[in-house]
């Protein structure tokens, strides 16, 4: 089976398994796990922030981030198809008691003009505008990259309006590699940034949330509220340290493979797939028919993938499929579409 459903399916490397087996551990709720403490220090430096917090999932990282920025009743500006709004079970409303304000964009990329048009002046009738969430790379926009210059300009505009900026950088390493910049540069405009270690960077579990020291201390309390205070989590942090130290450069291979798959798929009839739209490790394939039966037929051909719309299939490349031939993916599609 070729599994292109997500880069979340990556399995830990041999080096990670060895590091996990011999990790030094302690009780992290008491702040006594040396491996978690090291991970949090290195993650903060990696993301260019004062401090960081290890969380089990990207979802918890985003929700803790929002909760730590907001008071009940605050307004949170989100791109209309962003993960924090679309895929987190209404967490902004349920956990932070804050009001998400969706801003539609054609391509997942928020701009100062779009944000300005959504904002309202201070008024007794209105919610308090508190936070802007930005996603980079943008998942539902097909792994689209928001360039550093565009992100910095957006963040500066938001700050000028009194907003804080949270960056959902689940795949920020992909965005940084695609622009040939460091992660710290990619995250510079953000007050807080969440980055997943368990996607293209192959850790089995874990994400980090980084920001100012005082903010991260409050985030630590909010993580406890959500039941995210883990004990001997150094077993997991040991793998995460390898993600941080050595897994980022190879993402360029995932991007090249995604490009090659898109180029192969673009030749097929019944399929619309634009290689120029593939900027990182995701490929969106638009069909002339319903996606669900095609996904089922593809699985019978040995190819696993997911949907991203009624007639849209999403493919994601990652380390565990690094050896596959792009033509095999195109062949599976040709057979599935003929069924
Ligand atoms: N995304 C998953 C699914 O939830 C859709 C995937 O397969 O792409 N932010 C972004 C931008 C994400 O894409 C994801 C995961 C998360 C946050 C949440 O991370 P986890 O799955 O660790 O909670």
């Amino acid at each position: 089976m070729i599994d292109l459903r997500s880069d979340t399916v990556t399995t830990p490397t041999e080096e990670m398994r060895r590091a996990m087996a011999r990790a030094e551990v302690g009780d992290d709720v008491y702040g006594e796990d040396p491996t978690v403490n090291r991970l949090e220090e290195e993650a903060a430096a990696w993301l260019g922030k004062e401090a960081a917090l290890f969380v089990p999932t990207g979802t918890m990282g985003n929700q803790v981030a929002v909760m730590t920025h907001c008071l009940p009743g605050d307004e949170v500006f989100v791109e209309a198809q962003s993960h924090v709004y679309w895929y987190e079970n209404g967490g902004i409303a349920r956990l932070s008691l804050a009001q998400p304000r969706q801003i539609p964009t054609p391509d997942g990329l928020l701009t100062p003009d779009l944000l300005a048009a959504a904002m309202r002046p201070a008024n007794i009738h209105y919610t308090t505008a508190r936070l802007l969430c930005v996603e980079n790379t943008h998942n539902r926009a097909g792994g689209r990259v928001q360039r550093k210059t565009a992100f910095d300009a957006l963040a500066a505009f938001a700050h000028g309006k009194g907003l804080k900026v949270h960056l959902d950088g689940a795949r920020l390493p992909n965005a940084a590699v695609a622009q040939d910049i460091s992660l710290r540069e990619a995250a510079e405009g953000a007050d807080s940034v969440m980055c997943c270690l368990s996607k293209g960077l192959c850790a089995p579990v874990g994400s980090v949330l980084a920001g100012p020291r005082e903010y991260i201390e409050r985030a630590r309390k909010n993580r406890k509220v959500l039941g995210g205070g883990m004990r001997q989590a150094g077993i997991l942090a040991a793998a995460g340290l390898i993600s941080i130290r050595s897994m980022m450069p190879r993402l360029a291979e995932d991007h090249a493979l995604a490009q090659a798959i898109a180029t192969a798929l673009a030749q097929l009839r019944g399929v619309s797939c634009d290689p120029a739209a593939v900027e990182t490790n995701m490929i969106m394939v638009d069909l002339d028919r319903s996606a669900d039966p095609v996904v089922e037929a593809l699985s019978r051909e040995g190819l696993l993938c997911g949907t991203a719309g009624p007639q849209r299939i999403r493919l994601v490349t990652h380390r565990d499929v690094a050896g596959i031939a792009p033509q095999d993916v195109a062949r599976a599609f040709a057979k599935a579409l003929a069924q």
Side-chain angles (χ1 to χ4, degrees), residues 31 36 85 114-115 138 158 188 197 245 280 297 300 317 325 335:
V36 172
Y85 174 74
L114 290 168
L115 176 59
H138 193 296
E188 203 176 350
L197 308 175
R245 289 172 186 165
T280 55
R300 289 193 292 273
T317 57
K335 282 193 186 160

Side-chain angles (χ1 to χ4, degrees), residues 6 8 57-59 62 83 87-88 135 139 168 170-171 194 196 199 314:
S6 182
T8 58
T57 63
T59 300
N62 279 339
H83 194 283
Y87 287 123
E88 298 187 15
E135 184 173 316
N139 183 341
D168 175 350
R171 296 186 180 84
M194 186 285 288
C196 291
K199 298 200 162 59
R314 183 187 80 158

Side-chain angles (χ1 to χ4, degrees), residues 14 28 41 86 193 202 289:
E14 279 309 311
D28 180 50
E41 263 169 45
W86 192 283
V193 51
C202 298
R289 64 196 83 171

